[in-house]
Amino acid sequence: MARMRPWKTEPREENGNPSSRGAGRAAIGATVVAAALLATAISGCKKEPAAGGSCELASEGEVTCLDAKTALLCSNLRLSPLPCRGEKGCSITGNVAVCDVTVAKEGDACDPKTESDYDGARDRTCAEDGKSALACREGKFAVDRLCRGEKGCDPVAVRKGELSACDRSLAEMGDPCEPRRFAGNGETEGICSVDRKNALVCDGAERGHFVLGRSCGGPKGCGVVAATPSRDYPLSACDESVATLGAPCGKPQADSATCSADGAVVLKCDKDSLTWAKVKDCQQGTKCAYRTGDVILSDLECAPSP
């Protein structure tokens, strides 16, 4: 006798429909997916700013902090990274992001709004190695001045807003200079060369270079006269008690004169060539000497040799 396979029946709900267990699972799955999509949409609205991302026209020129050492500048509707290498990095003061650029690297991006004129008196940024002062030029930090003095470039002085954080007491021929920074400043009056043998002056009206001003042939060479509260830049004190025929003498002052190193020749600063020119030779048995210690021609004489 053939066996009959029993019918497999699904449990039924009270309304007589098949169980909604499977349908419930589907509904729950759909709800989870919808919630995930909604969360994604919300997170997309609150997307964190990133370098290269877009920004709104209303935010043009504004700065936000990306992390402790980087700011983002909204420029041309794009977020550009700005390194904040200073001690304070990128911080929030009130509701404003502040990027500390008292220290930077040459070539770092900078905010064009902070660009200063070439004749600006204050140093705003020091290079990481402390050997130069930087300035923002066309959106990039570039060398503005070399700081060859023993103090170099001091970012603490920059942060305090001191007039000159860059120690310019020494320079080399060919270094950049800017005589417009101060009225009658040390860059036009004279800066000592690193070897202390010469006083250098700035050669141009703007964005010039240091050139040889005068040779300091005396035993004291070129001495640095430190800055004072009333004069916030150093000067040079050039010992010209002796000089070499033909050496540069700078701008002659009060008929400036001196002796040759061997005392055999009286020299005068020629106003046309700005070099030491011969006035006369001292006769045998005499030497060029000063009567009073002044460096004017009337106080020089060929005195008997001791």
PDB file of all heavy atoms in Angstrom, residues 144-183:
ATOM      1  N   ASP A 144      63.762  87.617   2.968  1.00  0.00           N
ATOM      2  CA  ASP A 144      63.651  89.069   2.930  1.00  0.00           C
ATOM      3  C   ASP A 144      64.985  89.706   3.317  1.00  0.00           C
ATOM      4  O   ASP A 144      65.468  90.609   2.653  1.00  0.00           O
ATOM      5  CB  ASP A 144      62.552  89.520   3.881  1.00  0.00           C
ATOM      6  CG  ASP A 144      62.281  91.008   3.807  1.00  0.00           C
ATOM      7  OD1 ASP A 144      62.275  91.542   2.688  1.00  0.00           O
ATOM      8  OD2 ASP A 144      62.062  91.641   4.854  1.00  0.00           O
ATOM      9  N   ARG A 145      65.565  89.222   4.413  1.00  0.00           N
ATOM     10  CA  ARG A 145      66.850  89.746   4.880  1.00  0.00           C
ATOM     11  C   ARG A 145      67.654  88.609   5.509  1.00  0.00           C
ATOM     12  O   ARG A 145      67.095  87.684   6.096  1.00  0.00           O
ATOM     13  CB  ARG A 145      66.641  90.857   5.909  1.00  0.00           C
ATOM     14  CG  ARG A 145      65.822  92.019   5.387  1.00  0.00           C
ATOM     15  CD  ARG A 145      66.029  93.254   6.210  1.00  0.00           C
ATOM     16  NE  ARG A 145      65.368  93.201   7.499  1.00  0.00           N
ATOM     17  CZ  ARG A 145      65.503  94.141   8.427  1.00  0.00           C
ATOM     18  NH1 ARG A 145      66.276  95.175   8.211  1.00  0.00           N
ATOM     19  NH2 ARG A 145      64.868  94.048   9.581  1.00  0.00           N
ATOM     20  N   LEU A 146      68.968  88.695   5.390  1.00  0.00           N
ATOM     21  CA  LEU A 146      69.850  87.734   6.041  1.00  0.00           C
ATOM     22  C   LEU A 146      70.254  88.277   7.408  1.00  0.00           C
ATOM     23  O   LEU A 146      70.559  89.463   7.542  1.00  0.00           O
ATOM     24  CB  LEU A 146      71.086  87.478   5.178  1.00  0.00           C
ATOM     25  CG  LEU A 146      70.806  86.842   3.814  1.00  0.00           C
ATOM     26  CD1 LEU A 146      72.093  86.708   3.012  1.00  0.00           C
ATOM     27  CD2 LEU A 146      70.155  85.474   3.977  1.00  0.00           C
ATOM     28  N   CYS A 147      70.255  87.402   8.403  1.00  0.00           N
ATOM     29  CA  CYS A 147      70.516  87.813   9.787  1.00  0.00           C
ATOM     30  C   CYS A 147      71.845  87.204  10.228  1.00  0.00           C
ATOM     31  O   CYS A 147      71.871  86.186  10.927  1.00  0.00           O
ATOM     32  CB  CYS A 147      69.383  87.348  10.699  1.00  0.00           C
ATOM     33  SG  CYS A 147      67.721  87.675  10.037  1.00  0.00           S
ATOM     34  N   ARG A 148      72.956  87.810   9.814  1.00  0.00           N
ATOM     35  CA  ARG A 148      74.274  87.221  10.040  1.00  0.00           C
ATOM     36  C   ARG A 148      74.867  87.572  11.405  1.00  0.00           C
ATOM     37  O   ARG A 148      75.896  87.022  11.794  1.00  0.00           O
ATOM     38  CB  ARG A 148      75.233  87.659   8.937  1.00  0.00           C
ATOM     39  CG  ARG A 148      74.849  87.160   7.545  1.00  0.00           C
ATOM     40  CD  ARG A 148      75.973  87.442   6.563  1.00  0.00           C
ATOM     41  NE  ARG A 148      75.634  87.105   5.194  1.00  0.00           N
ATOM     42  CZ  ARG A 148      75.808  85.899   4.658  1.00  0.00           C
ATOM     43  NH1 ARG A 148      76.280  84.921   5.406  1.00  0.00           N
ATOM     44  NH2 ARG A 148      75.498  85.681   3.394  1.00  0.00           N
ATOM     45  N   GLY A 149      74.228  88.472  12.145  1.00  0.00           N
ATOM     46  CA  GLY A 149      74.702  88.796  13.494  1.00  0.00           C
ATOM     47  C   GLY A 149      74.554  87.606  14.417  1.00  0.00           C
ATOM     48  O   GLY A 149      73.844  86.644  14.117  1.00  0.00           O
ATOM     49  N   GLU A 150      75.223  87.655  15.574  1.00  0.00           N
ATOM     50  CA  GLU A 150      75.252  86.491  16.470  1.00  0.00           C
ATOM     51  C   GLU A 150      73.871  86.117  17.003  1.00  0.00           C
ATOM     52  O   GLU A 150      73.634  84.959  17.371  1.00  0.00           O
ATOM     53  CB  GLU A 150      76.216  86.742  17.625  1.00  0.00           C
ATOM     54  CG  GLU A 150      75.838  87.884  18.536  1.00  0.00           C
ATOM     55  CD  GLU A 150      76.824  88.087  19.681  1.00  0.00           C
ATOM     56  OE1 GLU A 150      77.991  87.665  19.526  1.00  0.00           O
ATOM     57  OE2 GLU A 150      76.432  88.653  20.710  1.00  0.00           O
ATOM     58  N   LYS A 151      72.919  87.040  17.037  1.00  0.00           N
ATOM     59  CA  LYS A 151      71.575  86.728  17.534  1.00  0.00           C
ATOM     60  C   LYS A 151      70.688  86.100  16.468  1.00  0.00           C
ATOM     61  O   LYS A 151      69.617  85.558  16.787  1.00  0.00           O
ATOM     62  CB  LYS A 151      70.910  88.000  18.076  1.00  0.00           C
ATOM     63  CG  LYS A 151      71.596  88.575  19.297  1.00  0.00           C
ATOM     64  CD  LYS A 151      70.871  89.825  19.780  1.00  0.00           C
ATOM     65  CE  LYS A 151      71.553  90.417  21.004  1.00  0.00           C
ATOM     66  NZ  LYS A 151      70.864  91.660  21.462  1.00  0.00           N
ATOM     67  N   GLY A 152      71.115  86.171  15.207  1.00  0.00           N
ATOM     68  CA  GLY A 152      70.309  85.597  14.134  1.00  0.00           C
ATOM     69  C   GLY A 152      68.925  86.215  14.071  1.00  0.00           C
ATOM     70  O   GLY A 152      68.743  87.403  14.341  1.00  0.00           O
ATOM     71  N   CYS A 153      67.921  85.407  13.741  1.00  0.00           N
ATOM     72  CA  CYS A 153      66.527  85.868  13.710  1.00  0.00           C
ATOM     73  C   CYS A 153      65.807  85.248  14.900  1.00  0.00           C
ATOM     74  O   CYS A 153      65.811  84.019  15.077  1.00  0.00           O
ATOM     75  CB  CYS A 153      65.856  85.456  12.403  1.00  0.00           C
ATOM     76  SG  CYS A 153      64.223  86.224  12.160  1.00  0.00           S
ATOM     77  N   ASP A 154      65.181  86.064  15.713  1.00  0.00           N
ATOM     78  CA  ASP A 154      64.580  85.632  16.975  1.00  0.00           C
ATOM     79  C   ASP A 154      63.053  85.631  16.870  1.00  0.00           C
ATOM     80  O   ASP A 154      62.432  86.694  16.867  1.00  0.00           O
ATOM     81  CB  ASP A 154      65.034  86.568  18.095  1.00  0.00           C
ATOM     82  CG  ASP A 154      64.503  86.147  19.450  1.00  0.00           C
ATOM     83  OD1 ASP A 154      63.873  85.081  19.546  1.00  0.00           O
ATOM     84  OD2 ASP A 154      64.720  86.898  20.421  1.00  0.00           O
ATOM     85  N   PRO A 155      62.414  84.433  16.805  1.00  0.00           N
ATOM     86  CA  PRO A 155      60.947  84.386  16.694  1.00  0.00           C
ATOM     87  C   PRO A 155      60.236  84.940  17.921  1.00  0.00           C
ATOM     88  O   PRO A 155      59.104  85.414  17.819  1.00  0.00           O
ATOM     89  CB  PRO A 155      60.645  82.889  16.500  1.00  0.00           C
ATOM     90  CG  PRO A 155      61.862  82.172  16.976  1.00  0.00           C
ATOM     91  CD  PRO A 155      63.014  83.086  16.750  1.00  0.00           C
ATOM     92  N   VAL A 156      60.894  84.895  19.080  1.00  0.00           N
ATOM     93  CA  VAL A 156      60.289  85.481  20.282  1.00  0.00           C
ATOM     94  C   VAL A 156      60.153  86.989  20.108  1.00  0.00           C
ATOM     95  O   VAL A 156      59.126  87.587  20.457  1.00  0.00           O
ATOM     96  CB  VAL A 156      61.130  85.150  21.533  1.00  0.00           C
ATOM     97  CG1 VAL A 156      60.566  85.861  22.760  1.00  0.00           C
ATOM     98  CG2 VAL A 156      61.170  83.642  21.766  1.00  0.00           C
ATOM     99  N   ALA A 157      61.186  87.610  19.545  1.00  0.00           N
ATOM    100  CA  ALA A 157      61.134  89.049  19.279  1.00  0.00           C
ATOM    101  C   ALA A 157      60.061  89.358  18.240  1.00  0.00           C
ATOM    102  O   ALA A 157      59.380  90.385  18.322  1.00  0.00           O
ATOM    103  CB  ALA A 157      62.494  89.548  18.805  1.00  0.00           C
ATOM    104  N   VAL A 158      59.901  88.467  17.262  1.00  0.00           N
ATOM    105  CA  VAL A 158      58.834  88.646  16.260  1.00  0.00           C
ATOM    106  C   VAL A 158      57.485  88.631  16.949  1.00  0.00           C
ATOM    107  O   VAL A 158      56.624  89.478  16.692  1.00  0.00           O
ATOM    108  CB  VAL A 158      58.902  87.532  15.195  1.00  0.00           C
ATOM    109  CG1 VAL A 158      57.682  87.611  14.280  1.00  0.00           C
ATOM    110  CG2 VAL A 158      60.173  87.654  14.369  1.00  0.00           C
ATOM    111  N   ARG A 159      57.290  87.644  17.843  1.00  0.00           N
ATOM    112  CA  ARG A 159      56.005  87.507  18.524  1.00  0.00           C
ATOM    113  C   ARG A 159      55.697  88.715  19.398  1.00  0.00           C
ATOM    114  O   ARG A 159      54.545  89.110  19.553  1.00  0.00           O
ATOM    115  CB  ARG A 159      56.014  86.216  19.357  1.00  0.00           C
ATOM    116  CG  ARG A 159      54.645  85.752  19.821  1.00  0.00           C
ATOM    117  CD  ARG A 159      54.713  84.389  20.492  1.00  0.00           C
ATOM    118  NE  ARG A 159      55.144  83.370  19.548  1.00  0.00           N
ATOM    119  CZ  ARG A 159      56.286  82.710  19.625  1.00  0.00           C
ATOM    120  NH1 ARG A 159      57.119  82.951  20.612  1.00  0.00           N
ATOM    121  NH2 ARG A 159      56.596  81.803  18.740  1.00  0.00           N
ATOM    122  N   LYS A 160      56.743  89.319  19.962  1.00  0.00           N
ATOM    123  CA  LYS A 160      56.557  90.497  20.808  1.00  0.00           C
ATOM    124  C   LYS A 160      56.321  91.760  19.993  1.00  0.00           C
ATOM    125  O   LYS A 160      55.994  92.803  20.548  1.00  0.00           O
ATOM    126  CB  LYS A 160      57.780  90.692  21.704  1.00  0.00           C
ATOM    127  CG  LYS A 160      57.925  89.639  22.790  1.00  0.00           C
ATOM    128  CD  LYS A 160      59.165  89.910  23.632  1.00  0.00           C
ATOM    129  CE  LYS A 160      59.333  88.900  24.745  1.00  0.00           C
ATOM    130  NZ  LYS A 160      60.564  89.143  25.542  1.00  0.00           N
ATOM    131  N   GLY A 161      56.529  91.668  18.671  1.00  0.00           N
ATOM    132  CA  GLY A 161      56.333  92.835  17.824  1.00  0.00           C
ATOM    133  C   GLY A 161      57.482  93.815  17.862  1.00  0.00           C
ATOM    134  O   GLY A 161      57.307  94.993  17.539  1.00  0.00           O
ATOM    135  N   GLU A 162      58.670  93.344  18.266  1.00  0.00           N
ATOM    136  CA  GLU A 162      59.824  94.238  18.296  1.00  0.00           C
ATOM    137  C   GLU A 162      60.185  94.676  16.879  1.00  0.00           C
ATOM    138  O   GLU A 162      59.989  93.940  15.922  1.00  0.00           O
ATOM    139  CB  GLU A 162      61.007  93.549  18.968  1.00  0.00           C
ATOM    140  CG  GLU A 162      60.759  93.268  20.447  1.00  0.00           C
ATOM    141  CD  GLU A 162      61.936  92.601  21.129  1.00  0.00           C
ATOM    142  OE1 GLU A 162      62.992  92.471  20.483  1.00  0.00           O
ATOM    143  OE2 GLU A 162      61.791  92.215  22.302  1.00  0.00           O
ATOM    144  N   LEU A 163      60.726  95.883  16.790  1.00  0.00           N
ATOM    145  CA  LEU A 163      60.928  96.508  15.490  1.00  0.00           C
ATOM    146  C   LEU A 163      61.813  95.685  14.572  1.00  0.00           C
ATOM    147  O   LEU A 163      61.548  95.552  13.383  1.00  0.00           O
ATOM    148  CB  LEU A 163      61.522  97.909  15.669  1.00  0.00           C
ATOM    149  CG  LEU A 163      61.569  98.785  14.428  1.00  0.00           C
ATOM    150  CD1 LEU A 163      60.175  99.005  13.875  1.00  0.00           C
ATOM    151  CD2 LEU A 163      62.214 100.118  14.749  1.00  0.00           C
ATOM    152  N   SER A 164      62.886  95.126  15.115  1.00  0.00           N
ATOM    153  CA  SER A 164      63.786  94.347  14.262  1.00  0.00           C
ATOM    154  C   SER A 164      64.220  93.094  15.006  1.00  0.00           C
ATOM    155  O   SER A 164      65.019  93.154  15.925  1.00  0.00           O
ATOM    156  CB  SER A 164      65.007  95.184  13.866  1.00  0.00           C
ATOM    157  OG  SER A 164      65.862  94.426  13.031  1.00  0.00           O
ATOM    158  N   ALA A 165      63.679  91.956  14.594  1.00  0.00           N
ATOM    159  CA  ALA A 165      64.042  90.672  15.206  1.00  0.00           C
ATOM    160  C   ALA A 165      65.249  90.062  14.512  1.00  0.00           C
ATOM    161  O   ALA A 165      65.804  89.079  14.984  1.00  0.00           O
ATOM    162  CB  ALA A 165      62.856  89.711  15.135  1.00  0.00           C
ATOM    163  N   CYS A 166      65.657  90.633  13.406  1.00  0.00           N
ATOM    164  CA  CYS A 166      66.762  90.109  12.606  1.00  0.00           C
ATOM    165  C   CYS A 166      68.032  90.886  12.927  1.00  0.00           C
ATOM    166  O   CYS A 166      68.092  92.104  12.750  1.00  0.00           O
ATOM    167  CB  CYS A 166      66.417  90.244  11.116  1.00  0.00           C
ATOM    168  SG  CYS A 166      67.714  89.733   9.975  1.00  0.00           S
ATOM    169  N   ASP A 167      69.050  90.177  13.429  1.00  0.00           N
ATOM    170  CA  ASP A 167      70.317  90.820  13.782  1.00  0.00           C
ATOM    171  C   ASP A 167      71.109  91.091  12.505  1.00  0.00           C
ATOM    172  O   ASP A 167      71.698  90.204  11.907  1.00  0.00           O
ATOM    173  CB  ASP A 167      71.106  89.915  14.724  1.00  0.00           C
ATOM    174  CG  ASP A 167      72.380  90.572  15.251  1.00  0.00           C
ATOM    175  OD1 ASP A 167      72.787  91.617  14.700  1.00  0.00           O
ATOM    176  OD2 ASP A 167      72.982  90.037  16.197  1.00  0.00           O
ATOM    177  N   ARG A 168      71.120  92.368  12.116  1.00  0.00           N
ATOM    178  CA  ARG A 168      71.776  92.781  10.874  1.00  0.00           C
ATOM    179  C   ARG A 168      73.102  93.475  11.143  1.00  0.00           C
ATOM    180  O   ARG A 168      73.577  94.269  10.345  1.00  0.00           O
ATOM    181  CB  ARG A 168      70.856  93.733  10.113  1.00  0.00           C
ATOM    182  CG  ARG A 168      69.527  93.126   9.732  1.00  0.00           C
ATOM    183  CD  ARG A 168      69.619  92.418   8.423  1.00  0.00           C
ATOM    184  NE  ARG A 168      69.658  93.359   7.330  1.00  0.00           N
ATOM    185  CZ  ARG A 168      69.844  93.013   6.069  1.00  0.00           C
ATOM    186  NH1 ARG A 168      70.015  91.759   5.772  1.00  0.00           N
ATOM    187  NH2 ARG A 168      69.857  93.917   5.113  1.00  0.00           N
ATOM    188  N   SER A 169      73.720  93.182  12.275  1.00  0.00           N
ATOM    189  CA  SER A 169      74.961  93.874  12.608  1.00  0.00           C
ATOM    190  C   SER A 169      76.113  93.458  11.705  1.00  0.00           C
ATOM    191  O   SER A 169      77.117  94.162  11.633  1.00  0.00           O
ATOM    192  CB  SER A 169      75.327  93.613  14.078  1.00  0.00           C
ATOM    193  OG  SER A 169      75.427  92.224  14.339  1.00  0.00           O
ATOM    194  N   LEU A 170      75.995  92.325  11.016  1.00  0.00           N
ATOM    195  CA  LEU A 170      77.019  91.855  10.089  1.00  0.00           C
ATOM    196  C   LEU A 170      76.386  91.482   8.759  1.00  0.00           C
ATOM    197  O   LEU A 170      75.215  91.074   8.711  1.00  0.00           O
ATOM    198  CB  LEU A 170      77.752  90.640  10.665  1.00  0.00           C
ATOM    199  CG  LEU A 170      78.496  90.823  11.993  1.00  0.00           C
ATOM    200  CD1 LEU A 170      79.025  89.484  12.482  1.00  0.00           C
ATOM    201  CD2 LEU A 170      79.624  91.840  11.857  1.00  0.00           C
ATOM    202  N   ALA A 171      77.144  91.607   7.693  1.00  0.00           N
ATOM    203  CA  ALA A 171      76.644  91.256   6.363  1.00  0.00           C
ATOM    204  C   ALA A 171      77.804  90.860   5.473  1.00  0.00           C
ATOM    205  O   ALA A 171      78.978  91.020   5.839  1.00  0.00           O
ATOM    206  CB  ALA A 171      75.868  92.425   5.749  1.00  0.00           C
ATOM    207  N   GLU A 172      77.474  90.360   4.308  1.00  0.00           N
ATOM    208  CA  GLU A 172      78.467  90.036   3.283  1.00  0.00           C
ATOM    209  C   GLU A 172      78.126  90.815   2.022  1.00  0.00           C
ATOM    210  O   GLU A 172      76.955  91.131   1.773  1.00  0.00           O
ATOM    211  CB  GLU A 172      78.456  88.533   2.963  1.00  0.00           C
ATOM    212  CG  GLU A 172      78.951  87.651   4.100  1.00  0.00           C
ATOM    213  CD  GLU A 172      80.464  87.552   4.155  1.00  0.00           C
ATOM    214  OE1 GLU A 172      81.146  88.471   3.652  1.00  0.00           O
ATOM    215  OE2 GLU A 172      80.961  86.559   4.720  1.00  0.00           O
ATOM    216  N   MET A 173      79.139  91.142   1.233  1.00  0.00           N
ATOM    217  CA  MET A 173      78.879  91.810  -0.036  1.00  0.00           C
ATOM    218  C   MET A 173      77.966  90.926  -0.891  1.00  0.00           C
ATOM    219  O   MET A 173      78.181  89.713  -0.993  1.00  0.00           O
ATOM    220  CB  MET A 173      80.184  92.115  -0.766  1.00  0.00           C
ATOM    221  CG  MET A 173      80.951  93.270  -0.165  1.00  0.00           C
ATOM    222  SD  MET A 173      82.325  93.845  -1.210  1.00  0.00           S
ATOM    223  CE  MET A 173      83.463  92.486  -1.025  1.00  0.00           C
ATOM    224  N   GLY A 174      76.953  91.552  -1.466  1.00  0.00           N
ATOM    225  CA  GLY A 174      75.995  90.813  -2.279  1.00  0.00           C
ATOM    226  C   GLY A 174      74.730  90.440  -1.542  1.00  0.00           C
ATOM    227  O   GLY A 174      73.738  90.060  -2.169  1.00  0.00           O
ATOM    228  N   ASP A 175      74.731  90.544  -0.198  1.00  0.00           N
ATOM    229  CA  ASP A 175      73.509  90.268   0.561  1.00  0.00           C
ATOM    230  C   ASP A 175      72.429  91.277   0.170  1.00  0.00           C
ATOM    231  O   ASP A 175      72.723  92.443  -0.115  1.00  0.00           O
ATOM    232  CB  ASP A 175      73.766  90.393   2.062  1.00  0.00           C
ATOM    233  CG  ASP A 175      74.485  89.188   2.642  1.00  0.00           C
ATOM    234  OD1 ASP A 175      74.724  88.228   1.890  1.00  0.00           O
ATOM    235  OD2 ASP A 175      74.811  89.219   3.845  1.00  0.00           O
ATOM    236  N   PRO A 176      71.148  90.867   0.176  1.00  0.00           N
ATOM    237  CA  PRO A 176      70.078  91.817  -0.131  1.00  0.00           C
ATOM    238  C   PRO A 176      69.945  92.867   0.959  1.00  0.00           C
ATOM    239  O   PRO A 176      70.206  92.609   2.139  1.00  0.00           O
ATOM    240  CB  PRO A 176      68.823  90.932  -0.190  1.00  0.00           C
ATOM    241  CG  PRO A 176      69.169  89.734   0.643  1.00  0.00           C
ATOM    242  CD  PRO A 176      70.634  89.517   0.451  1.00  0.00           C
ATOM    243  N   CYS A 177      69.567  94.071   0.572  1.00  0.00           N
ATOM    244  CA  CYS A 177      69.360  95.155   1.534  1.00  0.00           C
ATOM    245  C   CYS A 177      68.204  96.021   1.060  1.00  0.00           C
ATOM    246  O   CYS A 177      67.822  95.993  -0.106  1.00  0.00           O
ATOM    247  CB  CYS A 177      70.632  95.983   1.723  1.00  0.00           C
ATOM    248  SG  CYS A 177      71.269  96.735   0.200  1.00  0.00           S
ATOM    249  N   GLU A 178      67.667  96.800   1.992  1.00  0.00           N
ATOM    250  CA  GLU A 178      66.515  97.641   1.677  1.00  0.00           C
ATOM    251  C   GLU A 178      66.627  98.961   2.424  1.00  0.00           C
ATOM    252  O   GLU A 178      66.246  99.074   3.582  1.00  0.00           O
ATOM    253  CB  GLU A 178      65.224  96.908   2.076  1.00  0.00           C
ATOM    254  CG  GLU A 178      63.962  97.679   1.768  1.00  0.00           C
ATOM    255  CD  GLU A 178      63.943  98.204   0.354  1.00  0.00           C
ATOM    256  OE1 GLU A 178      63.743  97.405  -0.566  1.00  0.00           O
ATOM    257  OE2 GLU A 178      64.156  99.415   0.169  1.00  0.00           O
ATOM    258  N   PRO A 179      67.204  99.977   1.788  1.00  0.00           N
ATOM    259  CA  PRO A 179      67.443 101.249   2.484  1.00  0.00           C
ATOM    260  C   PRO A 179      66.176 102.017   2.822  1.00  0.00           C
ATOM    261  O   PRO A 179      66.231 102.970   3.592  1.00  0.00           O
ATOM    262  CB  PRO A 179      68.311 102.029   1.489  1.00  0.00           C
ATOM    263  CG  PRO A 179      67.973 101.468   0.157  1.00  0.00           C
ATOM    264  CD  PRO A 179      67.703 100.009   0.408  1.00  0.00           C
ATOM    265  N   ARG A 180      65.019 101.609   2.280  1.00  0.00           N
ATOM    266  CA  ARG A 180      63.795 102.349   2.577  1.00  0.00           C
ATOM    267  C   ARG A 180      63.199 101.984   3.930  1.00  0.00           C
ATOM    268  O   ARG A 180      62.235 102.598   4.372  1.00  0.00           O
ATOM    269  CB  ARG A 180      62.744 102.072   1.492  1.00  0.00           C
ATOM    270  CG  ARG A 180      63.131 102.575   0.119  1.00  0.00           C
ATOM    271  CD  ARG A 180      62.081 102.207  -0.897  1.00  0.00           C
ATOM    272  NE  ARG A 180      61.919 100.761  -1.004  1.00  0.00           N
ATOM    273  CZ  ARG A 180      60.982 100.179  -1.738  1.00  0.00           C
ATOM    274  NH1 ARG A 180      60.122 100.916  -2.414  1.00  0.00           N
ATOM    275  NH2 ARG A 180      60.897  98.873  -1.807  1.00  0.00           N
ATOM    276  N   ARG A 181      63.757 100.974   4.603  1.00  0.00           N
ATOM    277  CA  ARG A 181      63.131 100.513   5.846  1.00  0.00           C
ATOM    278  C   ARG A 181      63.098 101.593   6.920  1.00  0.00           C
ATOM    279  O   ARG A 181      62.136 101.711   7.662  1.00  0.00           O
ATOM    280  CB  ARG A 181      63.872  99.285   6.383  1.00  0.00           C
ATOM    281  CG  ARG A 181      63.672  98.068   5.515  1.00  0.00           C
ATOM    282  CD  ARG A 181      64.297  96.859   6.169  1.00  0.00           C
ATOM    283  NE  ARG A 181      64.287  95.738   5.251  1.00  0.00           N
ATOM    284  CZ  ARG A 181      63.253  94.943   5.055  1.00  0.00           C
ATOM    285  NH1 ARG A 181      62.139  95.150   5.711  1.00  0.00           N
ATOM    286  NH2 ARG A 181      63.317  93.952   4.197  1.00  0.00           N
ATOM    287  N   PHE A 182      64.173 102.334   7.062  1.00  0.00           N
ATOM    288  CA  PHE A 182      64.245 103.396   8.057  1.00  0.00           C
ATOM    289  C   PHE A 182      64.814 104.643   7.389  1.00  0.00           C
ATOM    290  O   PHE A 182      65.566 104.547   6.435  1.00  0.00           O
ATOM    291  CB  PHE A 182      65.168 103.019   9.222  1.00  0.00           C
ATOM    292  CG  PHE A 182      64.846 101.719   9.863  1.00  0.00           C
ATOM    293  CD1 PHE A 182      65.538 100.572   9.503  1.00  0.00           C
ATOM    294  CD2 PHE A 182      63.860 101.626  10.819  1.00  0.00           C
ATOM    295  CE1 PHE A 182      65.259  99.370  10.100  1.00  0.00           C
ATOM    296  CE2 PHE A 182      63.561 100.419  11.411  1.00  0.00           C
ATOM    297  CZ  PHE A 182      64.265  99.286  11.064  1.00  0.00           C
ATOM    298  N   ALA A 183      64.495 105.785   7.968  1.00  0.00           N
ATOM    299  CA  ALA A 183      65.090 107.028   7.471  1.00  0.00           C
ATOM    300  C   ALA A 183      66.521 107.106   7.994  1.00  0.00           C
ATOM    301  O   ALA A 183      66.740 107.184   9.199  1.00  0.00           O
ATOM    302  CB  ALA A 183      64.269 108.227   7.948  1.00  0.00           C
TER     303      ALA A 183
END
